[in-house]
Amino acid sequence: MTDPASLLDDLRARLDRVAAATGTEAAAVLTDPDTMEPYRQDWAQAPNPGRPLAVVRARSTQDVQEVLRWATAHAVPVVPRGAGSGLSGGATAVEGGIVLSTEQMRDLVVDPATRTATVGPGLLNAELKRAVAEHGLWYPPDPSSFEMCSIGGNVATNAGGLCCVKYGVTTDYVLGLTVVLADGTAVRLGGARLKDTAGLSLTKLFVGSEGTLGVVTEIIVRLIPAQPPRSTVVGVFPDVVACSEAVLSVTRRIRPAMLEFMDTASIRAVEADLRMGLDTSAGAMLLAQSDATGPERAAETELMAEAFRANGATEVFATEDPDEGEMFTAARRAAFTSLGKLGTLLLEDVGVPLPALPELVAGIERIAAERDVAIALVAHAGDGNTHPIIVLEDDDPDRAARAQLAFGEVMDLAIGLGGTITGEHGVGRLKAPWLPAQLGDDVMELSRRIKSALDPQGILNPGAVL
Amino acid sequence: MTDPASLLDDLRARLDRVAAATGTEAAAVLTDPDTMEPYRQDWAQAPNPGRPLAVVRARSTQDVQEVLRWATAHAVPVVPRGAGSGLSGGATAVEGGIVLSTEQMRDLVVDPATRTATVGPGLLNAELKRAVAEHGLWYPPDPSSFEMCSIGGNVATNAGGLCCVKYGVTTDYVLGLTVVLADGTAVRLGGARLKDTAGLSLTKLFVGSEGTLGVVTEIIVRLIPAQPPRSTVVGVFPDVVACSEAVLSVTRRIRPAMLEFMDTASIRAVEADLRMGLDTSAGAMLLAQSDATGPERAAETELMAEAFRANGATEVFATEDPDEGEMFTAARRAAFTSLGKLGTLLLEDVGVPLPALPELVAGIERIAAERDVAIALVAHAGDGNTHPIIVLEDDDPDRAARAQLAFGEVMDLAIGLGGTITGEHGVGRLKAPWLPAQLGDDVMELSRRIKSALDPQGILNPGAVL
């Protein structure tokens, strides 16, 4: 049964049986090329996406199980997909495979007593945040794309965001998962328990595995009490290296609730796009927040302002007004979108141990000059995670080729500084060629052994990560 | 080469070669039965420990590699061992195997700039805490045994402690590991980076794996700024169920820095042992702390005191004096030791989602009555992790048999309430028979697949966990 029509008939029949057994509507199996087109790519726009056999919009764990039983039986590759906002091509379609979308799996139960929420992978990060806020609770991980990225995708990439410098990343908030394995077996891992060390740490293994080990169909997250209102300190700097030194002056002494960086190119792009009144003459800008309370709050705010001044800030502005602070945060979050209006982007996500940050930003400037390409820089500076963004404003093929070289050189640079090729976006397909240089042969081999143990046919997201 | 003498000659020759190559002293290979005796057991005193072929005290990652290359070549089981303070028999010696002790691997480098520390597995938790405190930093995980347990053992069991209700467990602080695999390959996983999602989450997989997947030889931990001084609230309750309801009243509204529970049996044992002036007429006691600052601190302290009173506390005492607070914390930590002076202990570590806590403690009382055995109860109540402690004050074999039944029934009860058989001590050998009931066949099978992929001969800590 290898002809596509019979394969799809079998798939539809299986999903119909699930629907009949559970008394629900059957999962949609989309095969029209136009309808499938938006499912071939995520935001990374990786080159040469495949033409999928079908897109399945799963409605339940049972649907996902049935798709994977079918895929195992017929050795069909499956690319799991959340909201499609990934930045590394982790959800790029594979030729002749299935795109398995979890966008309709949007259940949510908030339990204030255990301070947890049970979430479907299709729920958006912002929707989870809003729902738990009604209970005075907070789900910290906050990718800049939080209004359109899904919790399932956040789990797949171990997503971060602006709060991580103080509050950690997605894996720090995942207590339990339901995962469907390659053969269709559904396993429940962990649960609504703050402490549980029974057996291997499988929950954590699946976080960040980018759909290569299983498909996550339910997530139990830990919540914490609502964040107190934040004070904001903005510093304007003559250049990126002074700015990086200021970051170290802050992180050596306190743990800010946010410490974000924008270079002049990203400031100008956002200002041109949104007219927020940003200082476009700035060489770089730091945006810091404190959510401490009591006397510590004033102390942290003042310490950050002083660290900025001591490292050459030409202007320092502090505010207790949350709306004013949010305006600056919104400017920072808008950088990708605003830069995207200038041309085609190649997004990096390299991170280094904090003391190497000045060397990293100086090295990125050098690569941009040597390759004669524009590289804008925004960063979650407080945790050493930077987003160099290569901007191609024209269609010059020679420049595009140099941009590809620069893309790799930035990753090489980060690896050489003891860093990582991806802090929070994942490896996906775009960065997979650089993974061995970071991890080394032995860790690659170890990873492949685990992959083979869980997905012996290699049907889960082939081409991504490993 | 299967006779023990030739095996040991080969092992010694290999370790001598490591010493010659690295210019260091060779790792000690102990074979004298009296010298090996203390290495046959950990604190759990599991029944029927094996007689090891030898105890190796490794001094370096290279020593551990060589021991595992040798063990793989000769199919000899290896039991990794930290400080031997484990409470589940995870380090019980295996007949004819090697006990591989990391107690001499005590390197420590603190890096205030990245706010991390690189730690040898043999360093004690308290030693790490003290060293980082000199830099104004804090390593939160705090098992009650923190003065004598090692960081390697903490990583192996994903250890918790008293601070976890607010600050999480060991895995939340592990950023990187050096691990030696069964075949002697050493891999470096993660690093001093707060965000790193490159490749599979292998670092987290090894945390809590109790020496069944590899031997951890170096650990990079995340540190946070020193904890502010804490206020303490103590509540005396007529019974354990009222006490549990008070816990829920607190955790529903705030996240205390500590929320510990002692029942009358543990209060009396500690008072008899240490004469601290505890109220031995109390049915149960709660010990809560706040490390909030500013006006929130007073608000949290008052909220906890009110929650205690509203749930029937007969006495509530609050103090800002850190020494006074520490006295109560010390009483709580002393419970195991003080109860141990009354007889033989069977230690449990069951946890449940918080709303099930009253049902759990009531059920434990019922099991104690039905089996006619004494079960004392202390708990990290704020995260639902309890330590029922079966105390056998005499040598009555019938009571000992009933105690074994009760030991299993407490775990069955926790599993039935959606809980775990171990919150922080690990499964080891004592709880391994109950693991399938908690995890289910599919998760056991998945775990075994990973175990086989990493340790195909099964030489690493056989009999523990799986």
Side-chain angles (χ1 to χ4, degrees):
Chain A
M1 190 163 53
T2 47
D3 79 288
S6 345
L7 279 176
L8 288 171
D9 285 348
D10 182 31
L11 177 60
R12 286 204 178 88
R14 287 168 178 258
L15 291 168
D16 284 344
R17 283 199 294 274
V18 170
T22 55
T24 54
E25 207 179 317
V29 178
L30 314 174
T31 53
D32 174 62
D34 288 346
T35 315
M36 291 199 295
E37 189 59 29
Y39 290 90
R40 293 177 65 204
Q41 283 283 15
D42 57 23
W43 286 5
Q45 297 290 324
N48 308 317
R51 286 158 304 173
L53 182 64
V55 173
V56 178
R57 288 206 293 234
R59 304 170 63 93
S60 65
T61 298
Q62 291 96 317
D63 284 344
V64 174
Q65 289 184 270
E66 206 52 50
V67 170
L68 287 170
R69 283 188 199 115
W70 170 88
T72 286
H74 302 293
V76 177
V78 174
V79 175
R81 182 185 179 93
S85 59
L87 296 171
S88 324
T92 312
V94 165
E95 187 71 20
I98 294 294
V99 174
L100 178 54
S101 167
T102 57
E103 67 198 306
Q104 296 191 325
M105 299 178 68
R106 298 170 38 79
D107 287 345
L108 173 64
V109 178
V110 182
D111 181 358
T114 58
R115 212 176 279 141
T116 61
T118 304
V119 192
L123 202 76
L124 301 186
N125 179 299
E127 293 174 322
L128 174 60
K129 278 192 201 302
R130 278 195 287 270
V132 306
E134 287 174 20
H135 300 274
L137 295 170
W138 182 36
Y139 175 69
D142 58 347
S144 290
S145 59
F146 76 109
E147 294 281 2
M148 47 291 245
C149 64
S150 69
I151 295 296
N154 291 176
V155 170
T157 55
N158 191 16
L162 287 63
C163 74
C164 308
V165 58
K166 184 164 183 177
Y167 291 98
V169 294
T170 300
T171 194
D172 299 317
Y173 294 88
V174 177
L175 295 176
L177 293 174
T178 301
V179 181
V180 180
L181 304 177
D183 65 3
T185 306
V187 290
R188 283 175 167 266
L189 306 171
R193 299 177 288 269
L194 293 177
K195 279 173 169 169
D196 184 357
T197 188
L200 300 179
S201 302
L202 299 175
T203 307
K204 301 283 188 187
L205 175 65
F206 284 97
V207 178
S209 63
E210 303 189 43
T212 62
L213 300 181
V215 181
V216 171
T217 60
E218 191 175 87
I219 302 126
I220 302 175
V221 295
R222 182 167 78 97
L223 306 169
I224 64 176
Q227 188 180 29
R230 286 155 283 170
S231 66
T232 301
V233 184
V234 181
V236 171
F237 292 82
D239 62 77
V240 295
V241 175
C243 207
S244 305
E245 297 288 356
V247 168
L248 292 180
S249 290
V250 171
T251 56
R252 236 180 252 124
R253 293 149 73 194
I254 60 161
R255 198 163 55 141
M258 186 174 93
L259 186 48
E260 294 288 320
F261 169 105
M262 293 176 78
D263 76 344
T264 189
S266 53
I267 294 169
R268 287 177 187 181
V270 171
E271 184 56 27
D273 186 23
L274 303 175
R275 307 277 164 208
M276 295 172 122
L278 301 176
D279 179 356
T280 54
S281 72
M285 186 171 86
L286 277 185
L287 175 57
Q289 293 191 322
S290 166
D291 63 1
T293 55
E296 272 188 40
R297 181 195 191 81
E300 283 196 355
T301 309
E302 187 45 37
L303 184 150
M304 294 191 289
E306 270 174 26
F308 290 2
R309 279 186 215 106
N311 285 282
T314 53
E315 201 184 323
V316 176
F317 166 79
T319 177
E320 284 287 330
D321 179 350
D323 292 338
E324 215 168 5
E326 178 52 31
M327 194 274 286
F328 284 102
T329 312
R332 161 63 189 85
R333 283 200 206 99
F336 280 179
T337 322
S338 297
L339 285 161
K341 294 181 180 169
L342 302 180
T344 307
L345 306 184
L346 278 173
L347 300 169
E348 307 251 20
D349 178 35
V350 292
V352 289
L354 276 174
L357 191 61
E359 209 173 331
L360 178 72
V361 299
I364 291 166
E365 285 199 328
R366 194 180 58 242
I367 291 168
E370 282 171 9
R371 295 295 175 192
D372 187 24
V373 292
I375 307 186
L377 185 65
V378 295
H380 308 303
D383 51 34
N385 180 206
T386 72
H387 296 310
I389 304 172
I390 304 176
V391 186
L392 289 167
E393 296 193 39
D394 57 31
D395 293 332
D396 178 357
D398 190 59
R399 195 190 303 278
R402 294 198 309 273
Q404 286 297 337
L405 293 175
F407 184 70
E409 285 165 352
V410 168
M411 285 188 274
D412 294 338
L413 172 67
I415 294 169
L417 293 169
T420 178
I421 60 172
T422 175
E424 55 182 15
H425 294 171
V427 174
R429 288 173 175 77
L430 288 188
K431 295 170 214 149
W434 283 269
L435 190 62
Q438 178 180 336
L439 299 187
D441 292 343
D442 289 335
V443 176
M444 289 300 292
E445 159 63 16
L446 175 60
S447 306
R448 285 195 203 96
R449 272 198 263 166
I450 290 173
K451 166 76 173 169
S452 300
L454 269 63
D455 178 19
Q457 284 191 100
I459 60 169
L460 282 169
N461 215 2
V465 188
L466 295 173
Chain B
M1 188 163 55
T2 49
D3 78 288
S6 342
L7 279 176
L8 287 171
D9 285 347
D10 182 31
L11 177 59
R12 286 203 179 90
R14 287 166 177 260
L15 291 168
D16 284 344
R17 283 198 294 273
V18 171
T22 55
T24 54
E25 205 179 319
V29 178
L30 315 175
T31 53
D32 172 63
D34 288 346
T35 315
M36 292 199 294
E37 190 58 32
Y39 290 90
R40 293 177 65 203
Q41 283 284 14
D42 57 23
W43 286 5
Q45 297 290 323
N48 308 318
R51 285 159 305 173
L53 182 64
V55 173
V56 179
R57 287 205 296 234
R59 304 170 65 94
S60 66
T61 298
Q62 291 95 317
D63 284 343
V64 173
Q65 290 185 268
E66 206 50 52
V67 170
L68 287 169
R69 284 187 200 117
W70 169 89
T72 287
H74 301 295
V76 176
V78 174
V79 175
R81 180 185 181 93
S85 59
L87 296 170
S88 325
T92 312
V94 166
E95 187 71 20
I98 295 293
V99 174
L100 178 53
S101 167
T102 57
E103 68 198 306
Q104 296 191 325
M105 299 177 67
R106 296 168 43 77
D107 287 345
L108 173 64
V109 178
V110 182
D111 181 359
T114 59
R115 213 176 278 143
T116 60
T118 304
V119 192
L123 201 77
L124 302 187
N125 179 298
E127 293 173 323
L128 174 60
K129 278 191 201 304
R130 278 194 288 269
V132 307
E134 287 173 21
H135 300 274
L137 294 170
W138 182 35
Y139 175 70
D142 59 346
S144 290
S145 58
F146 75 109
E147 294 282 2
M148 46 293 242
C149 63
S150 69
I151 295 296
N154 291 177
V155 169
T157 55
N158 190 14
L162 286 65
C163 73
C164 309
V165 57
K166 183 162 184 178
Y167 292 97
V169 294
T170 299
T171 195
D172 299 318
Y173 295 88
V174 177
L175 295 176
L177 292 175
T178 301
V179 181
V180 180
L181 304 177
D183 64 4
T185 307
V187 290
R188 282 174 168 267
L189 307 170
R193 300 176 288 269
L194 293 176
K195 279 171 166 170
D196 183 356
T197 188
L200 300 180
S201 302
L202 299 176
T203 307
K204 300 283 189 188
L205 175 63
F206 283 96
V207 178
S209 63
E210 303 189 42
T212 63
L213 301 181
V215 181
V216 170
T217 61
E218 191 174 88
I219 302 128
I220 302 175
V221 295
R222 181 166 79 97
L223 306 169
I224 63 175
Q227 186 180 31
R230 288 155 282 171
S231 66
T232 302
V233 184
V234 180
V236 171
F237 292 80
D239 62 79
V240 295
V241 175
C243 205
S244 306
E245 298 290 356
V247 168
L248 293 180
S249 291
V250 171
T251 57
R252 236 181 251 122
R253 293 148 74 194
I254 60 162
R255 197 163 56 142
M258 184 174 95
L259 186 46
E260 292 289 318
F261 170 104
M262 293 176 77
D263 76 344
T264 189
S266 52
I267 294 167
R268 287 177 188 181
V270 172
E271 184 56 26
D273 186 21
L274 302 175
R275 306 278 164 205
M276 295 173 121
L278 302 175
D279 179 354
T280 54
S281 71
M285 188 171 89
L286 277 184
L287 176 56
Q289 293 190 322
S290 167
D291 62 1
T293 55
E296 273 189 39
R297 181 193 190 80
E300 284 197 354
T301 308
E302 185 47 37
L303 184 150
M304 294 193 287
E306 270 174 26
F308 289 1
R309 280 186 214 106
N311 285 280
T314 54
E315 202 183 323
V316 176
F317 166 79
T319 177
E320 284 288 332
D321 179 349
D323 293 336
E324 213 166 9
E326 178 52 30
M327 195 273 289
F328 283 102
T329 313
R332 162 61 190 85
R333 282 197 206 103
F336 280 180
T337 323
S338 297
L339 285 161
K341 294 184 180 168
L342 302 178
T344 307
L345 306 183
L346 277 173
L347 300 168
E348 307 252 22
D349 179 36
V350 292
V352 289
L354 275 175
L357 192 61
E359 211 174 327
L360 178 72
V361 299
I364 291 167
E365 285 199 327
R366 195 181 59 242
I367 291 168
E370 282 171 10
R371 294 296 175 191
D372 188 22
V373 292
I375 307 186
L377 185 65
V378 295
H380 307 303
D383 51 33
N385 180 205
T386 71
H387 295 310
I389 304 171
I390 305 176
V391 186
L392 289 167
E393 297 193 37
D394 57 31
D395 292 332
D396 178 357
D398 190 60
R399 194 188 306 276
R402 294 198 310 273
Q404 286 297 336
L405 293 175
F407 185 72
E409 285 165 353
V410 167
M411 285 189 274
D412 295 339
L413 172 67
I415 294 169
L417 293 169
T420 178
I421 60 172
T422 176
E424 57 182 12
H425 294 170
V427 174
R429 288 172 174 79
L430 288 186
K431 295 169 214 150
W434 283 269
L435 189 63
Q438 178 181 336
L439 299 188
D441 292 345
D442 289 335
V443 177
M444 288 299 292
E445 159 64 16
L446 174 60
S447 306
R448 283 196 204 97
R449 271 198 264 167
I450 291 173
K451 166 73 174 171
S452 299
L454 270 63
D455 177 19
Q457 285 192 99
I459 60 169
L460 283 169
N461 215 3
V465 188
L466 297 172

